[in-house]
Amino acid sequence: MGKRPPSSEDMEKGREKARPSMPPPHLCPPPPKPWVPWLVPIIFVANVAVFIYTMYVNDCPSIDENKCILPSLKRFSFQPFKENPLLGPAGLTLKKLGALERQLVVEEGEGWRLLSCMWLHAGVVHLLANMMSLLFIGIRLEQEFGFIRIGLLYVLAGLGGSLGSTMHLMRTTSPTISVGASGALFGLLGAMLSELLINWTIYINKCTALLILIVVIALNMAVGFLPKVDNSAHIGGFLAGFFLGFVILVRPQYGYIRRKHLPSTYEGKHKPRHKGYQYVLGISALVILILGYTYGFGKLYGLKALKNLP
């Protein structure tokens, strides 16, 4: 006896069993394109150009050609080692061009020196050390976060370093000047640390990266305890950059995908852009920054001056 031919209903059930289930769509958003760094190289060139101009204005041979270092450089020659061991200009030249000095900033109202001092350097050694750090740290950060955020971070961290330096100078009796981009550079280091913490979920080998970064920061901080090094600017810039990183360097959490990159057939759960702790850290850091800058300017100029601001 022959077998009963399968009905159309049985055939349909067989097709359903044989048909493989559709795999879930593979969610792979396009990787972010790195920014082309141009602001950090411009900052580098600007610092070098300002130093060359500083040496031009200094004109050591016009004072005493016999005491100048490398007199063959003529007006670009350096001050004697006893006066400036970093191979640079005289202190009066730096003061003339915008160095940070407590009396001029607080009593004479020359607040612009809080920013101008970031572009001056005490000598070739000082300039080379800072510019190597700028290129090593700044290029990487600008590639990842773009020129707007890194430019804002650089300036505000440098301002924080200048505030810290000025408040320290207020406790000294002898007139002292402070110059250099160290405050801004330590701000970039501080921002790297906070960026690692607030974007913790997207990193691999987190603890190793954190340990290496802490060692680098500690070594740079240790340099600040050498004679004639303004560690208050380093600390002020580092703290400003650390809290700024929580605000302007936050990135989406691991697994977040923009809706425009999701396939139309996707019905899975969509992760929020940021985790709750990122919002908490960002808001807390913003409040600390506002209070910190307010306290710094209030310490320099008094609360009455702050109330008179437009």
Side-chain angles (χ1 to χ4, degrees):
M1 295 178 62
K3 293 182 178 180
R4 180 179 62 87
S7 63
S8 60
E9 183 178 352
D10 293 335
M11 292 177 66
E12 188 63 30
K13 288 181 180 180
R15 289 195 190 100
E16 290 180 0
K17 291 180 181 180
R19 183 186 300 139
S21 59
M22 294 294 293
H26 182 59
L27 304 180
C28 186
K33 295 181 180 179
W35 292 76
V36 177
W38 59 268
L39 180 61
V40 169
I42 286 180
I43 294 175
F44 171 84
V45 172
N47 276 275
V48 173
V50 169
F51 181 75
I52 294 174
Y53 177 72
T54 303
M55 296 308 302
Y56 176 83
V57 173
N58 185 68
D59 193 11
C60 179
S62 66
I63 302 173
D64 191 345
E65 185 175 1
N66 296 326
K67 292 184 178 180
C68 297
I69 299 174
L70 295 178
S72 59
L73 296 177
K74 297 184 179 180
R75 69 181 301 152
F76 294 98
S77 56
F78 308 115
Q79 294 296 122
F81 273 116
K82 290 183 178 180
E83 183 178 349
N84 189 342
L86 299 178
L87 297 177
L92 289 176
T93 303
L94 293 172
K95 182 178 177 180
K96 176 183 177 181
L97 294 179
L100 191 64
E101 186 183 43
R102 179 198 61 81
Q103 182 178 359
L104 295 175
V105 172
V106 178
E107 299 177 11
E108 302 296 331
E110 298 182 4
W112 53 271
R113 292 179 179 269
L114 294 170
L115 295 176
S116 63
C117 66
M118 297 165 48
W119 307 93
L120 296 170
H121 287 83
V124 174
V125 178
H126 190 200
L127 179 70
L128 287 177
N130 279 350
M131 292 303 99
M132 287 177 63
S133 299
L134 173 66
L135 294 177
F136 181 74
I137 301 171
I139 292 289
R140 172 189 169 274
L141 286 175
E142 188 178 353
Q143 285 177 330
E144 293 190 18
F145 297 99
F147 68 94
I148 295 178
R149 287 194 274 184
I150 299 308
L152 185 64
L153 172 63
Y154 186 87
V155 173
L156 290 179
L159 178 60
S162 297
L163 287 174
S165 179
T166 308
M167 287 190 288
H168 172 72
L169 294 176
M170 291 176 69
R171 295 192 292 269
T172 60
T173 55
S174 60
T176 308
I177 63 173
S178 177
V179 294
S182 301
L185 297 175
F186 270 86
L188 296 183
L189 277 175
M192 288 180 67
L193 178 59
S194 57
E195 189 270 329
L196 174 62
L197 296 175
I198 198 169
N199 300 320
W200 189 257
T201 61
I202 68 173
Y203 282 102
I204 304 174
N205 299 326
K206 307 174 180 66
C207 294
T208 303
L210 179 61
L211 180 61
I212 293 174
L213 190 54
I214 290 176
V215 170
V216 171
I217 292 171
L219 290 175
N220 280 273
M221 282 291 185
V223 175
F225 292 99
L226 295 175
K228 296 186 178 182
V229 177
D230 189 2
N231 208 25
S232 57
H234 297 175
I235 296 173
F238 177 82
L239 291 176
F242 179 72
F243 291 113
L244 282 166
F246 286 124
V247 178
I248 63 178
L249 298 187
V250 60
R251 293 198 264 196
Q253 66 164 310
Y254 177 78
Y256 168 77
I257 302 176
R258 292 185 178 182
R259 294 193 179 275
K260 67 178 183 179
H261 295 141
L262 291 172
S264 58
T265 57
Y266 180 71
E267 298 179 356
K269 185 178 179 181
H270 183 254
K271 283 189 174 183
R273 183 178 180 86
H274 300 296
K275 281 185 169 292
Y277 80 89
Q278 291 179 300
Y279 289 107
V280 173
L281 287 175
I283 295 172
S284 302
L286 181 60
V287 173
I288 293 173
L289 283 168
I290 294 173
L291 294 176
Y293 281 110
T294 302
Y295 173 80
F297 282 107
K299 192 76 173 177
L300 297 187
Y301 300 107
L303 295 177
K304 292 183 180 180
L306 290 176
K307 292 179 181 178
N308 293 331
L309 290 176

